[in-house]
Amino acid sequence: MAVKATNDFTLDQLLGKLTVGQLSNIRKNLELKNMSSLRKPELIQALTDKIPGTVPEQLSYMTEQQYTVVEELLSNDGMTQTNSIELIFLNSIGYTHPVEVDGEAFA
């Protein structure tokens, strides 16, 4: 499900578009503990607080291809039209979120 991008989004806004199941998968994939009983608003806040702190560790695990996608995102204002397994991985840990700009899908 792509969010229609008409302006800049914050992490909590993008996470808010996900289902509780998707949020829980991100939590599990990042191995974040003591969050399984949280309701959606609390889970969004906890992930918003925790995701930035996971970056150094996650970068150390990334393949060269995954890191290349991160570099592309950083150099293109967080946007890419790459449709790859690397992007699926980044989405699974809450680092990317699909958006739609002028009818085109981006991550």
Side-chain angles (χ1 to χ4, degrees):
M1 169 188 201
V3 176
K4 194 161 197 103
T6 56
N7 57 2
D8 293 333
F9 288 96
T10 61
L11 180 56
D12 63 325
Q13 289 172 319
L14 291 167
L15 291 172
K17 301 293 183 183
L18 302 177
T19 66
V20 172
Q22 291 168 313
L23 295 169
S24 292
N25 283 336
I26 291 170
R27 177 191 61 78
K28 290 174 192 171
N29 291 336
L30 291 174
E31 298 179 4
L32 299 174
K33 306 291 183 203
N34 302 318
M35 294 185 190
S36 60
S37 64
L38 297 178
R39 287 186 252 166
K40 185 174 180 177
E42 292 93 9
L43 184 54
I44 290 168
Q45 186 58 55
L47 288 172
T48 299
D49 293 342
K50 300 278 185 183
I51 285 174
T54 68
V55 172
E57 182 179 6
Q58 290 298 322
L59 284 174
S60 71
Y61 297 140
M62 286 184 190
T63 65
E64 185 176 338
Q65 293 85 357
Q66 291 164 339
Y67 190 79
T68 299
V69 172
V70 170
E71 286 180 320
E72 179 183 348
L73 289 165
L74 292 172
S75 64
N76 292 313
D77 295 324
M79 305 290 269
T80 182
Q81 288 186 303
T82 300
N83 189 10
S84 65
I85 192 73
E86 289 79 18
L87 199 55
I88 293 168
F89 164 75
L90 294 171
N91 190 269
S92 77
I93 59 173
Y95 286 18
T96 61
H97 304 274
V99 296
E100 186 179 300
V101 178
D102 297 328
E104 292 187 63
F106 291 88

